[in-house]
Structures are given as C-alpha cells and as structure tokens.
C-alpha cells in the first residue's frame, strides 16, 4: 500500500498556511515546503512577475508540476498556494500522497492579515473585504470538498491550531509509525 506521508495545508490567501506549516513541520520533524517560495526560487522571479510575464495559466502549471514532484517524496509539510485546490488534478495528487488540512478564516481576518502585502497578484487593486469575501465564496466548495480536516484560525494561536491538527489526525504519530 502507498504511504500517505505528506501533509498539505490548503485555504484562502492569509488563512495562516505558511505560519502553521512552519510550526507543524518543526513539531513533527518533517520537511517544510512553501510552494510559492519554491516556485519563485526555481523560476528566479517573484509571483507577481511570473503572473505578469508568463500569465496565470503558466503559474498554475508550475503548481501542478511541483505537487507531482512532492507526491514522489514523502514527509513534507506543504504550505499550498491558495489556488491549488481549484484544479481537480491537484486535489487527486494531494489525496494520493497525503492528508489535506484546510485552514479557514473570516474575510475580515484575512483582510487584516494580507492588507499590506504586495506579493499576491489576485488581490492587487482588489484589497478590500468585499472582494475577498466574494472570491472566498466562489472557492469555498472546492476547499471543503478537498479537505480531510477543516481548522478555523480566527483569533487562535499557532499552537492551538497545530494542536488541533495533530489531535484530529494523529499526524505525527502516524508519520513516525510509517517511517520506523
Ligand atoms: C494565490 C495564492 C497565493 C499565490 C498566488 C495565487 C491564489 O498564495 O500562490 O498569488 O490563487 O489564491 P498564498 O495563498 O500563499 O497567498
């Protein structure tokens, strides 16, 4: 049987995926993969430059290729870009090689977390609660359908969130058992 040893954190921009992934990877002794950063490194460009020069479809292709690579290894805590679950093939790939944890937050919380960022092309010129709310509603069905576990991050500490993920999945124990 295939070992499902990756942990994929999905959810809207600003849901806390990067912060939680870092802490979870430390707690479980697993490798941290930040998809956006890895793509930026491989392309030698920041995300907004990739969108501007190659287009969004090209970026989405890079995400899919990276997920396929990660599926060939294991033991990764992966902070996914917010658009990853929009593609069926991405969800299939994540399901095949790991557990999918969706982090949620209210649009107002998201806005407070991302309002000063300029590294998210989809929010450039759309940095307001109503746009965030609209895009989130459109994406929600895909996030919910993909998730094995959904964890709310509003007004909660990273420790609490990581604790809930570990308790819900017995993640670290399972990972250690598989790698013994
Ligand atoms: C995107 C989310 C971003 C990044 C890109 C597109 C999206 O990642 O991949 O700007 O479509 O939601 P974060 O969710 O880490 O901000």
């Amino acid at each position: 049987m295939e070992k499902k040893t990756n942990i994929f954190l999905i959810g809207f921009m600003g849901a806390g995926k990067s912060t939680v992934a870092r802490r979870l990877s430390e707690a479980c002794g697993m490798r941290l993969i930040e998809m956006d950063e890895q793509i930026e490194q491989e392309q030698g460009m920041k995300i907004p430059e990739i969108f501007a020069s190659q287009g969004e479809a090209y970026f989405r292709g890079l995400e899919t290729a990276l997920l396929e690579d990660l599926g060939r290894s294991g033991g990764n805590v992966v902070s996914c870009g917010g658009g990853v679950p929009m593609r069926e093939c991405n969800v299939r790939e994540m399901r095949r090689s790991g557990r999918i944890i969706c982090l949620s937050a209210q649009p107002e919380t998201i806005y407070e977390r991302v309002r000063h960022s300029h590294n998210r092309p989809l929010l450039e010129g759309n940095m307001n609660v109503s746009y965030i709310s609209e895009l989130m509603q459109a994406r929600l069905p895909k996030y919910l359908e993909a998730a094995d576990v959904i964890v709310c991050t509003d007004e909660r500490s990273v420790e609490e969130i990581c604790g809930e993920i570990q308790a819900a999945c017995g993640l670290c124990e399972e990972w250690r058992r598989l790698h013994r």
Side-chain angles (χ1 to χ4, degrees):
M1 207 180 76
E2 185 115 25
K3 287 180 180 179
K4 289 181 132 198
T5 60
N6 289 315
I7 298 167
F8 296 97
L9 297 186
I10 63 165
F12 202 81
M13 294 170 266
K17 294 165 295 196
S18 302
T19 310
V20 172
R22 193 175 315 115
R23 191 63 60 86
L24 202 57
S25 72
E26 288 164 5
C28 300
M30 293 169 73
R31 198 179 308 113
L32 172 65
I33 304 284
E34 175 66 49
M35 285 186 71
D36 286 346
E37 270 176 24
Q38 186 136 333
I39 288 173
E40 287 181 336
Q41 275 168 19
E42 283 167 7
Q43 298 294 303
M45 275 186 273
K46 303 296 278 182
I47 305 283
E49 283 178 81
I50 302 174
F51 269 65
S53 67
Q54 312 290 327
E56 181 174 348
Y58 177 81
F59 173 74
R60 299 301 175 194
L62 297 175
E63 287 185 316
T64 299
L66 177 52
L67 283 175
E68 285 166 2
D69 273 355
L70 294 172
R72 281 188 278 275
S73 63
N76 304 300
V77 175
V78 185
S79 170
C80 295
V84 160
M86 298 308 112
R87 277 192 173 185
E88 274 305 313
C89 61
N90 291 345
V91 175
R92 265 201 310 276
E93 182 56 43
M94 291 191 287
R95 229 174 241 146
R96 197 186 59 74
S97 77
R99 300 280 194 112
I100 307 177
I101 317 295
C102 180
L103 300 186
S104 77
Q106 293 299 314
E108 292 76 9
T109 307
I110 299 281
Y111 173 70
E112 287 306 323
R113 290 178 185 164
V114 303
R115 57 191 289 207
H116 299 300
S117 152
H118 289 287
N119 204 31
R120 294 180 171 99
L122 298 185
L123 295 182
E124 212 55 47
N126 293 314
M127 194 56 92
N128 56 72
V129 173
S130 79
Y131 181 79
I132 289 171
S133 184
E134 216 173 279
L135 184 56
M136 191 187 283
Q137 279 306 316
R139 287 182 163 190
L140 211 54
K142 300 270 189 203
Y143 289 140
L144 299 182
E145 203 179 297
D148 293 314
V149 180
I150 300 163
V151 179
C152 171
T153 67
D154 292 283
E155 293 172 21
R156 300 183 72 201
S157 69
V158 189
E159 283 73 21
E160 274 179 273
I161 296 164
C162 284
E164 185 175 334
I165 295 173
Q166 288 173 263
C169 308
L171 284 173
C172 301
E173 294 73 16
E174 182 179 349
W175 192 81
R176 286 199 190 99
R177 185 172 53 76
L178 288 167
H179 281 79
R180 259 207 293 265

